[in-house]
Amino acid sequence: MKTRIILCGACGKMGGNVLSLLQDDPQATAVCGVDLFPREIGIPVYKSFSEIKEEADVIIDFSSPIGLTERLEYAKTHNLGLVLASTGFSAEDLETVKKYSSEIAIFKTANLSLGVNLMQALCKAAAQVLGNTYDVEIIERHHNLKKDAPSGTALMLADTVNEAFDGQKKYVNGRDGIVGAREKSEIGIHAVRGGTIVGEHEVMFAGEDEIITITHSARSKRVFAVGAIRAAKFLPQKQAGMYEMKDLLAEEN
């Protein structure tokens, strides 16, 4: 039986990528979509969750933090899993997500790309080996329409590196003016916006006389759609709780 998906943000670019991939997927299908600006895309699209008539197993959310509680409440009421693929959540939003995870299965990661999750593991290993003798700087580059900065992936990578230092590093978002010499306690995070860059992340470990960089470049948004569909297939029948890519990969392997 196919996994039945409600696609939130169905009429956006990521919604289009998900629908394109699902056309030839024997294990999953989109039964309907939700979007603030509904249009004809080959499946029923509603302006709000209250209008949905179709039965489903899971929600993929590629919209925005706006209306988050509505999505969580619908998932709770209908006992659906929820793949949160949006970014730009506030601390309050994240607390709300955590609260609902005690009642529904929620898959949340800052980046759905398999490559980025491998990068995350490599950065943690590098930080553990190199220690405080190397300065860590993170540079992320995205298209000129991205609204939040730094990216959720950059923050995820910073958190991963910081695990090697027991969370003692502080984050410095860009630098301006006479800031003085760089402190060892810093992780610098820098955001670049321009053109149609899908997403690039670089973690630089700068030591004495050598630099080690770990990079990832997404050439198409399809890589995120692939990850979202994998997560949607993973969630049904899962117990309430928070899940991420490492949980999915552990089950698949």
Side-chain angles (χ1 to χ4, degrees):
M1 183 176 175
K2 287 188 174 185
T3 300
R4 299 166 299 177
I5 298 168
I6 295 172
L7 182 56
C8 187
C11 299
K13 291 182 180 179
M14 285 309 307
N17 278 296
V18 172
L19 288 174
S20 175
L21 289 168
L22 287 175
Q23 286 181 354
D24 300 316
D25 195 313
Q27 299 174 323
T29 185
V31 294
C32 69
V34 177
D35 199 284
L36 290 175
F37 305 98
R39 59 184 175 86
E40 176 57 46
I41 56 173
I43 59 172
V45 182
Y46 306 103
K47 198 164 186 177
S48 72
F49 278 84
S50 62
E51 303 173 50
I52 293 175
K53 307 174 184 67
E54 290 76 11
E55 296 289 326
D57 304 299
V58 64
I59 300 167
I60 292 180
D61 174 26
F62 266 118
S63 56
S64 75
I66 298 171
L68 172 64
T69 301
E70 181 193 24
R71 302 193 283 278
L72 290 165
E73 193 62 31
Y74 186 90
K76 173 186 168 184
T77 302
H78 294 80
N79 194 30
L80 306 182
L82 174 60
V83 179
L84 276 178
S86 309
T87 60
F89 293 109
S90 67
E92 184 179 354
D93 290 334
L94 295 175
E95 278 300 314
T96 301
V97 170
K98 183 178 179 181
K99 174 186 171 184
Y100 274 87
S101 71
S102 66
E103 301 185 74
I104 58 174
I106 299 176
F107 190 102
K108 185 184 181 308
T109 179
N111 195 300
L112 287 156
S113 158
L114 177 61
V116 163
N117 283 272
L118 173 59
M119 179 184 185
Q120 189 179 5
L122 293 173
C123 288
K124 184 173 183 178
Q128 289 170 334
V129 170
L130 300 174
N132 265 318
T133 57
Y134 285 69
D135 299 324
V136 182
E137 298 283 309
I138 298 173
I139 303 97
E140 56 98 341
R141 305 173 183 88
H142 285 86
H143 53 86
N144 56 23
L145 297 178
K146 185 170 176 61
K147 296 178 181 178
D148 58 310
S151 69
T153 300
L155 292 171
M156 178 182 75
L157 292 168
D159 289 344
T160 298
V161 169
N162 209 2
E163 287 177 14
F165 302 102
D166 299 319
Q168 297 302 305
K169 297 284 188 180
K170 65 179 181 180
Y171 302 162
V172 177
N173 293 317
R175 296 185 178 85
D176 181 54
I178 308 300
V179 297
R182 187 191 191 282
E183 297 180 11
K184 282 294 181 183
S185 60
E186 295 179 7
I187 294 179
I189 307 177
H190 313 275
V192 177
R193 297 289 178 267
T196 58
I197 302 169
V198 173
E200 297 179 359
H201 291 85
E202 174 183 329
V203 179
M204 178 184 72
F205 297 86
E208 188 173 347
D209 299 328
E210 66 176 357
I211 297 172
I212 300 163
T213 59
I214 301 173
T215 65
H216 177 272
S217 176
R219 302 306 173 90
S220 165
K221 290 188 175 184
R222 286 173 67 89
V223 297
F224 310 126
V226 169
I229 292 170
R230 288 171 71 180
K233 295 174 183 176
F234 164 82
L235 269 193
Q237 312 306 319
K238 289 292 186 295
Q239 293 182 347
M242 293 293 298
Y243 298 88
E244 55 183 310
M245 189 62 75
K246 67 179 180 182
D247 301 308
L248 184 155
L249 296 174
E251 181 170 289
E252 288 186 349
N253 296 311

